[in-house]
Amino acid sequence: MSHGKFHIKPDARGEQRFNLVAANGEVVLSSGGYAMHSSCMKGIESVRRYAPDIANYERTISASGKYHFNLKSANGQVIGTSQMYDSSEGMEKGIAAVMHAAAHSVI
């Protein structure tokens, strides 16, 4: 059973970023930029560590009324951010997808 994949790529500023892509091909979590590849890899390990615990998800609503979430570490630092969802139900499905995919996704 495929869980998903972490994709790492440099951004326009040369920083490393990762996306967690679910088995259905949808990006379910995106990171901020990391100056070094090794730091980006540590970010992925943080996703694997903190994703299984529902308490690590911060749910928010944007000014435009869209739903999204942040996955946070124990110290409150944002590890990754979701896409925007039209409904809270869609956001909850996104959280479930991250919880399912993170631990066993390949890089």
Side-chain angles (χ1 to χ4, degrees), residues 24 31 34 46 49 57 62 64 70 84 86 90 103 107:
N24 67 0
S31 75
Y34 294 93
S46 291
R49 179 177 177 189
Y57 293 87
S62 71
S64 64
N70 292 313
M84 295 290 184
D86 291 328
I107 300 171

Side-chain angles (χ1 to χ4, degrees), residues 7-11 13-20 29-36 39-41 43-44 47 70-71 77-82:
H7 291 171
I8 299 173
K9 64 180 181 175
D11 64 16
R13 296 184 349 209
E15 293 183 323
Q16 301 289 305
R17 294 179 180 268
F18 66 80
N19 288 322
L20 175 57
L29 194 73
S30 298
S31 75
Y34 294 93
M36 297 173 28
S39 298
C40 188
M41 294 299 292
I44 290 171
V47 170
N70 292 313
L71 174 61
Q77 183 177 3
V78 174
I79 304 166
T81 301
S82 74

